[in-house]
Amino acid sequence: MFNCMVMYELSARTLVSANLHRKQLFQYQLNTFRCQLGRRIDHNNSTTTMSSKPPNILVYSEVEPVRLELIATLQRTLEPDRYTVYPLSAEQVRGRAWPDSTAALIVHGRLETSLAEVFADYFLNGGKLLGVCSDVVGLFDCGEVGGVTRVMKHLRDLRGEDHEVQVEVIARGDTSRTVRIIAVDELKTCGRAISTQIEFVPYEDNKQNLEIFKHVLSSELGIKFKTSHDHEASCYQSAFLIGSEEVKRSFLSDLSIPNDLKVSDLTLQFCSKSDLIPAASESHLPVLTDQPPEDFSTQLFNDHLKTTNIGRLTLYLPLVTSSMIIVSNATLPHGFVAIPRRQSRGTGRNRNQWLSPDGCAMFSLQLHVPLDSPLGQRLPMVQHLVALGIVLGIRNQPGYGELDVRLKWPNDVYANGRSKLGGIIVNSQLEGSRAVVNVGCGVNLSNSTPTTCVNDVIGEFNRERRERLRALGYEQLLAQIFNEIERIFEEVQRGKVEVLYDLYRRYWLHEGQSVTIRDRDGLDVTGTVAGIDEYGYLLVKVDGAGQPICVHPDGNSFDMMKGLIIPKYC
């Protein structure tokens, strides 16, 4: 949902020396590993029509300044929390794992034939494409339209199927013969390609061309941009420190600068209601320590919270750039949680965009893990533990155990085997004999867009099973997730490591799943998912091979959008 993308920075090769010997166990040297993870077939349950991932807008240009400017403009002007915006490389184009989750493709400049064929195939099969200063229409072999307003053409896609397209001039330039905007429509699949020769330059240099760019995307391709209401909603407000008076007092007394906490480009200023409270801004947030927020029930949260540490000191933020900058740039108490209601610049793995729509239950959590503890010797398992806590936070509540909410390796949460509900990012630092692990999580609780949400899953379950499960509340779900994370964390640290592995395997989507592996010579070999190893890496038993292949989730590609992964290997 949030291109809820995963970050994996807890390398077992760095943090757990015992894993180094694994390189000798495997003889397959793989170039690409593709594993169909997006859909689980269940003959006992009907499938749903829920959207599986957030829609993406992809940008292809070989000219880096133009590519970066296009991406920055889109991120600045698109409707908030509706799309994720990514650059697209030539290698990713040829991999063809990106079309299914793509709302629109923007292409700049001239293209080589092999790429043009893939883009044409995307358009012919229902895709939306905008060519900016590109000969994209000519690449579809539409011919010269000149002064003709509308012509019909017949094209063939990469599978050899014929398509009828309509080519139409929808806007002209300064002279009657100079075409400025051409539309190409596939009449059956509803694919639409727009070609414009407007020069795309930085926003401040040519606002008129920017407005044309936005108009074409919105009116011709259906992409939604910010409104005045969206700007009004992006107002920063005071944050709130939640916890017992003793816990808050201890935390504040330990600050190196009295009443101030500086984290990256953000300063948190702790205030009481009797203080002169400064204005809130992107870089400076007052934090009220002696009054509750109006839009977060501390009583309801505390009624459901059963932990000793996790969530007992919570920073609630109505709006922040990213809650991860708080936990990632300071050593805070073990179990400290930052809960943002909205984020203006949430980031995921490889600094990908993290969507933060209304109705998303998000939090950033800091855990302190001694390196000589059971979990400290298996630090990469932290991400699996937290992802499992999210699933159990939903399913372990009375009556909710049969909801089809499961884990997609390594740490995404899916409904009905196909619709992404949430995911996590993880980073860590070593401090002496312990690791400080920072985890960011997002779960779409109650917003049906851009994908689906937990409460939609509950509603569908009620209709199919004739049940009356209640929709989950915001504070209730967060507290229950914290309960489950701490419960599993403590069991593992007491030496019951097998509890984590057993639960993860019980709730994941991939038991016995067939996969395809491509070796360095480009040959495909088949295999079967055999589980995860001690550090959470995926084990694949290749047909005819002895030892299983071990892969880890580092090196995300666009195959993730289609339910595929291309990780690196141990």
Side-chain angles (χ1 to χ4, degrees):
M1 120 181 151
F2 323 98
N3 203 12
C4 286
M5 305 163 191
V6 274
M7 178 185 291
Y8 192 96
E9 296 182 30
L10 298 175
S11 171
R13 291 174 295 179
T14 301
L15 299 177
V16 187
S17 59
N19 196 38
L20 292 174
H21 75 283
R22 291 185 175 275
K23 289 185 177 180
Q24 284 86 45
L25 295 180
F26 310 110
Q27 297 181 355
Y28 275 84
Q29 299 298 317
L30 304 175
N31 178 47
T32 302
F33 169 94
R34 288 184 171 88
C35 173
Q36 180 67 40
L37 296 177
R39 182 175 180 86
R40 179 172 62 88
I41 300 174
D42 188 343
H43 297 290
N44 297 319
N45 293 309
S46 62
T47 59
T48 73
T49 59
M50 297 175 182
S51 175
S52 62
K53 299 290 289 292
N56 305 287
I57 295 180
L58 307 183
V59 177
Y60 178 84
S61 175
E62 291 295 333
V63 183
E64 184 177 15
V66 174
R67 181 174 65 249
L68 295 176
E69 183 64 31
L70 280 166
I71 291 171
T73 298
L74 289 167
Q75 291 178 336
R76 184 170 57 241
T77 58
L78 289 171
E79 182 177 311
D81 302 317
R82 177 174 286 271
Y83 309 99
T84 50
V85 183
Y86 294 104
L88 190 63
S89 70
E91 180 183 1
Q92 291 161 342
V93 173
R94 295 187 184 97
R96 300 180 63 194
W98 49 271
D100 286 354
S101 295
T102 300
L105 169 65
I106 299 173
V107 177
H108 171 268
R110 298 185 65 84
L111 300 173
E112 60 179 85
T113 302
S114 63
L115 301 183
E117 290 175 345
V118 177
F119 290 150
D121 187 79
Y122 163 70
F123 149 70
L124 291 172
N125 288 282
K128 311 298 182 186
L129 187 153
L130 172 62
V132 179
C133 289
S134 174
D135 54 353
V136 66
V137 171
L139 292 169
F140 294 157
D141 193 28
C142 291
E144 176 64 40
V145 294
V148 179
T149 302
R150 182 179 299 173
V151 296
M152 303 299 295
K153 296 283 183 177
H154 290 273
L155 303 177
R156 183 167 292 177
D157 65 21
L158 292 177
R159 288 169 294 283
E161 297 179 2
D162 291 324
H163 297 262
E164 184 177 38
V165 302
Q166 173 181 283
V167 186
E168 182 178 8
V169 179
I170 59 176
R172 297 187 181 277
D174 298 330
T175 69
S176 61
R177 304 290 296 178
T178 305
V179 174
R180 294 295 298 275
I181 303 179
I182 296 175
V184 187
D185 291 289
E186 208 291 355
L187 303 181
K188 291 184 179 180
T189 66
C190 297
R192 186 166 175 82
I194 304 292
S195 177
T196 174
Q197 297 306 311
I198 61 170
E199 215 32 73
F200 193 87
V201 293
Y203 173 77
E204 293 300 331
D205 295 344
N206 196 330
K207 294 183 180 180
Q208 181 179 358
N209 278 4
L210 174 64
E211 290 306 312
I212 296 173
F213 173 73
K214 290 169 57 179
H215 175 76
V216 170
L217 278 173
S218 60
S219 64
E220 302 298 334
L221 298 181
I223 301 301
K224 298 185 181 297
F225 287 84
K226 282 181 179 177
T227 65
S228 57
H229 172 74
D230 295 321
H231 289 286
E232 292 171 3
S234 299
C235 295
Y236 287 89
Q237 307 169 47
S238 296
F240 299 84
L241 191 64
I242 299 170
S244 69
E245 291 303 317
E246 180 182 356
V247 170
K248 290 190 291 186
R249 188 163 49 249
S250 175
F251 168 72
L252 294 172
S253 66
D254 288 339
L255 293 175
S256 57
I257 302 175
N259 297 322
D260 271 14
L261 178 62
K262 176 75 173 177
V263 285
S264 186
D265 296 328
L266 174 64
T267 297
L268 301 172
Q269 181 179 341
F270 297 91
C271 314
S272 65
K273 57 186 176 183
S274 60
D275 294 333
L276 181 62
I277 300 172
S281 68
E282 179 179 298
S283 60
H284 193 108
L285 287 179
V287 181
L288 302 179
T289 61
D290 57 355
Q291 65 183 79
E294 294 182 358
D295 59 346
F296 183 88
S297 173
T298 56
Q299 179 177 343
L300 189 60
F301 177 69
N302 288 323
D303 285 347
H304 286 90
L305 191 66
K306 309 300 181 186
T307 63
T308 301
N309 294 297
I310 297 179
R312 289 300 172 183
L313 182 64
T314 295
L315 181 65
Y316 176 76
L317 308 111
L319 177 64
V320 67
T321 53
S322 170
S323 60
M324 278 299 284
I325 68 172
I326 298 172
V327 297
S328 298
N329 290 280
T331 301
L332 302 160
H334 170 68
F336 177 94
V337 172
I339 299 177
R341 198 77 182 208
R342 295 287 305 274
Q343 294 184 121
S344 59
R345 290 202 301 273
T347 56
R349 186 185 181 189
N350 297 328
R351 301 200 64 78
N352 286 331
Q353 187 180 2
W354 178 302
L355 297 187
S356 308
D358 285 326
C360 184
M362 298 173 286
F363 63 91
S364 293
L365 164 68
Q366 186 169 109
L367 298 171
H368 298 171
V369 184
L371 292 177
D372 61 356
S373 68
L375 191 58
Q377 296 170 13
R378 304 165 178 84
L379 274 174
M381 286 299 297
V382 172
Q383 61 171 342
H384 301 307
L385 187 157
V386 175
L388 181 60
I390 295 173
V391 170
L392 295 180
I394 298 168
R395 294 187 57 167
N396 270 3
Q397 302 191 56
Y400 294 77
E402 293 188 40
L403 291 178
D404 192 356
V405 176
R406 293 179 181 272
L407 294 163
K408 173 177 174 288
W409 183 85
N411 51 23
D412 284 339
V413 178
Y414 269 63
N416 302 312
R418 63 177 303 272
S419 298
K420 187 172 180 178
L421 292 173
I424 76 171
I425 61 174
V426 180
N427 63 56
S428 66
Q429 300 87 39
L430 296 182
E431 290 188 356
S433 61
R434 71 181 181 183
V436 176
V437 183
N438 306 302
V439 187
C441 304
V443 184
N444 195 350
L445 172 62
S446 58
N447 192 330
S448 298
T449 59
T451 57
T452 188
C453 65
V454 173
N455 285 336
D456 282 348
V457 174
I458 293 171
E460 182 186 6
F461 180 85
N462 285 339
R463 289 189 295 274
E464 290 183 354
R465 303 289 188 92
R466 297 184 180 181
E467 296 284 352
R468 294 183 178 180
L469 298 180
R470 292 184 178 181
L472 295 179
Y474 182 73
E475 296 88 348
Q476 173 190 2
L477 177 62
L478 287 169
Q480 190 64 24
I481 289 172
F482 299 157
N483 293 342
E484 295 296 337
I485 293 173
E486 184 165 290
R487 179 179 66 83
I488 303 169
F489 182 93
E490 291 182 348
E491 283 199 77
V492 172
Q493 295 297 67
R494 288 196 297 267
K496 298 181 179 180
V497 182
E498 70 283 354
V499 170
L500 175 54
Y501 295 106
D502 292 346
L503 285 173
Y504 190 85
R505 291 280 295 270
R506 183 187 306 173
Y507 288 102
W508 79 337
L509 292 167
H510 316 302
E511 197 68 27
Q513 185 174 3
S514 297
V515 298
T516 300
I517 296 175
R518 183 165 297 161
D519 64 18
R520 290 184 182 275
D521 298 324
L523 300 176
D524 288 349
V525 293
T526 58
T528 303
V529 173
I532 58 175
D533 74 356
E534 183 180 5
Y535 306 102
Y537 295 173
L538 194 67
L539 295 176
V540 179
K541 183 68 169 64
V542 176
D543 296 347
Q547 293 285 351
I549 300 226
C550 171
V551 295
H552 69 79
D554 194 11
N556 183 28
S557 80
F558 276 102
D559 280 28
M560 289 295 287
M561 297 178 185
K562 198 176 179 181
L564 306 174
I565 55 172
I566 304 180
K568 298 176 184 177
Y569 310 94
C570 304

